[in-house]
Amino acid sequence: MSLKDLERLKQQATDAQKNKTDIQIVVNMGSCSMAKNAGDTYDAIADEIKKRGLEQVEIIKTGCFGMCESEPLIEIIKKGQPKVTYGKITPDKARHIVASHIVNDQVVGELVLSVDE
Amino acid sequence: MEFYRAHVLVCGGSPCVTLGCKAVREEIERLVKEKRLEREICIIETGCLGACEEGPIVVVYPDGTVYSKVNIDAAREIVNEHLVRGRPVKRLQYKGKLTSVSRTENKSKDYFQTQKRVVLENVGLINPNNIDDYILKDGYKILEETLDHLSPEEVVNTIKRSGLRGRGGAGFPTGTKLGVTARTTADQKYIVCNADEGEPGTYKDRIIMEGDPHKILEGMALCGYAVGATKGYVYIRGEYYQSIATIRTAIEQARELGLLGTNLFDSGFDFDVEIKEGAGSYVCGEETALIQSMEGKRGEATQKPPYPSTSGLWGKPTVVINVETVANIVPILKHGVDWYKSLGTPSSSGTKIFTLSGNVNNRGLIEVPMGIPLREIIYGIGGGISGGRSFKMAQIGGTAGGCLSEAQLDTPLDYENLQTVGSSLGSGAILVVDDSHCIVDVACSMLNFFAHESCGQCTPCREGTSRLLQTFRKLSEFTATKEDLDLAIKLARVMQRTSLCASGQSPIMPLEGIMQNFASEIEAHLNQECPAGVCHKSAHKTLGKEAVING
Amino acid sequence: MNQMTNPAYQIDDNYLDQVEKIAKQHSGRAEDLVLVLHKVQALKNYLPRTALNVVAKGLNVSESHVYGVATYYSMLSTKPRGRHIIRICESAPCHVQKARELIDAMLEHLDIEIGGTTKDGRFTVETTSCLGLCAVAPVVMIDDKVYGNLDRDTLFEVLTKYN
């Protein structure tokens, strides 16, 4: 590994970022999340995405960012739209969010924790 | 204890005093009294809330409404409208951002606004299982630059000047530690990252490991370069299955790209990391016990000196460094000493991660500059006490930390100030206990922990922890006497002086705080009374059995 | 089922061969003892005396040393245990979230005491130091999975997943 290699890797990662799919679902999968059934929530989202054939959607696993009380947390990032964070998500709620927010562009207001411009 | 439906904070920092906040506070107090609300509304003078040019500042909790430039008339309006009728006065509300106060509408946004994320900058934003995400955030670039531009001495000096102190509990200056190992000559030196997190209420290391593992590996490599160590270990407690898996993946990915291994960045510097798993022992968090455990022995503390810095793992100079501490290394080298010192207070630089647990609305973890008052964490980011109860006690730094009462809520959280109130920053755990709990019962829970976790090596700790638990159980069953309690405190002091490691040395910390700050409640138990109504003659079924089994 | 007649607790040559194989991989590396014991324990969920002897030989350390280590750490057990290990936390952060009531209810439900194994050999209940999940207290760990924000009903439901 040299500096050049590192820069090349960074460039690759940056390009990959640009080519990322239009919609990303970020699921917090830290231990506290897992303790509140985030595993099943993740599976439900993956299942729903597959069932609906939503190929443009990418699901990303990440660590807990500290709002453990509101876990499991998921974030929906759609190109050109503010990031929406949902809290205390169950598998059923997750399916509902996929149907409503991802497919029909309707933010599920009562589950929203925050909206970041 | 009274239950207040609202807390009114009026700032009393020096800029605001000149702006007449004393008069504002007195006016609010007078009106609240006049309307006979003094049992419902608590008025508190606080330190500076920031935004001094907008002073005097008044903040009303639980909703966290901030009013700026409050004069006497405005104060009257706030009392009449907000406190009496529950209608915040929009016209007087502060429009800007107040770093120390949160509003309720946009939970996660405020949650971040209050914080200064240095160690946690990537946590929750990157995929910890994908090294590309870390590289995208300029990961491993500091390692490259350091190997290229800086000498090991310069790295040690940078860390020294930054004022970074150990975040695991003891607060020892990290630069000094690195310096000692760097100066010691040996054919092999080691970096050991202490991830044996087990202090009750602490989970910062887990979150860092699960959220940004490469920052730990890069920091370890930098420490290795600074002291001349080529081998690193991450000692993770056995129960942290997910942390072990995440760090393992990170090590594999870094090795694959040549970011760990031999001749890093063609500099001739070798560094590799391995995982060591614990098997369930609180005492192993102590550095000498941890080293014993790594050598395949019982994890019992050894006599210091020699310190691990000169004679540690297999007798070689070893830097034992906490996860949060090592995660500070990259940011310091990246942004420089001046930037780092600008965070926090003169004697405690940088940020600190606090983990909130117990009876608060928003339990979770936060990273804030050192020196933020406890009250702001509990009522600001923590969202206040849950279930409409009121505050009773906060324990800082884990079960080995001091127990603070309401009167000490304005203590700034840094190394020095906590010492003055008989506590310590410790691991940064904040346990909040509401008034439905009995202090004796909570003390029993703490002492049960010490009795359970005593490794049995030192007699004062092994026998002492069980006796302390016994005494407080007697107290909760209303059969203890004043003499029993005096003897218990004496015993805890003996343990402090005669135990090898912090486990036996620290029960005195919470006990002293409890005896001082909650004297009347203890007194009541001597008179067969539990003000909180928790204790009764047949209490502690589970705890009793527990202590017998492990004692 | 009686513990002694339970096949999971039977020591046979095949089992001891497996133990020896694990020990051989770490031959002469006394520092790997804790790791070896973790691996050996994974076979039967506990560490029989005979297995400890095999480990001692394999790593070239004394039997007393191996026994000392095996009995020191709370995750290692020299007594037969159930198929699943329930680890409960009763540290102060869990305590103030009513962990004790939950634990008492669970012990009653399973009809055991802390440290004991259920009659059907399904669970052993042990205590652990803080699991670092205080934000979602009270917490219980079953094998390598964690469950948080539990109350009586949710915990009992979780228990039904294990057999």
Side-chain angles (χ1 to χ4, degrees), chain B residues 290-484:
Chain B
L290 182 134
I291 287 170
Q292 293 288 307
S293 177
M294 287 180 69
E295 294 177 353
K297 301 177 195 155
R298 291 162 69 93
E300 290 169 345
T302 58
Q303 189 73 254
K304 287 193 271 191
Y307 290 91
S309 327
T310 52
S311 173
L313 190 59
W314 294 300
K316 306 291 184 194
T318 304
V319 176
V320 183
I321 188 165
N322 170 264
V323 172
E324 186 188 348
T325 320
V326 85
N328 270 290
I329 304 282
V330 172
I332 290 172
L333 290 166
K334 189 174 181 176
H335 302 290
V337 168
D338 293 339
W339 167 83
Y340 193 75
K341 290 191 83 129
S342 73
L343 306 166
T345 64
S347 60
S348 309
S349 54
T351 59
K352 178 78 192 87
I353 303 177
F354 291 101
T355 47
L356 267 172
S357 63
N359 309 120
V360 283
N361 280 316
N362 304 329
R363 288 178 290 169
L365 127 164
I366 50 166
E367 182 176 359
V368 289
M370 289 270 195
I372 186 170
L374 179 56
R375 187 188 301 277
E376 280 185 46
I377 292 187
I378 295 176
Y379 289 96
I381 301 167
I385 310 297
S386 55
R389 310 288 314 196
S390 52
F391 175 88
K392 176 166 196 158
M393 183 204 82
Q395 191 180 27
I396 316 292
T399 291
C403 297
L404 307 188
S405 66
E406 174 117 42
Q408 293 157 325
L409 267 181
D410 288 310
T411 309
L413 297 179
D414 62 20
Y415 293 104
E416 275 68 28
N417 280 296
L418 279 169
Q419 233 160 37
T420 61
V421 291
S423 185
S424 71
L425 196 60
S427 57
I430 300 179
L431 168 67
V432 180
V433 178
D434 72 27
D435 62 345
S436 70
H437 293 278
C438 164
I439 202 75
V440 175
D441 182 62
V442 173
C444 282
S445 162
M446 292 170 190
L447 294 170
N448 182 58
F449 174 82
F450 285 116
H452 181 231
E453 296 301 339
S454 176
C455 82
Q457 184 184 202
C458 313
T459 315
C461 170
R462 181 183 66 235
E463 301 302 321
T465 48
S466 296
R467 289 298 151 257
L468 291 178
L469 173 61
Q470 199 181 36
T471 305
F472 274 78
R473 264 173 48 209
K474 268 172 85 181
L475 187 60
S476 81
E477 289 160 6
F478 305 141
T479 53
T481 60
K482 178 90 180 39
E483 288 71 38
D484 290 337

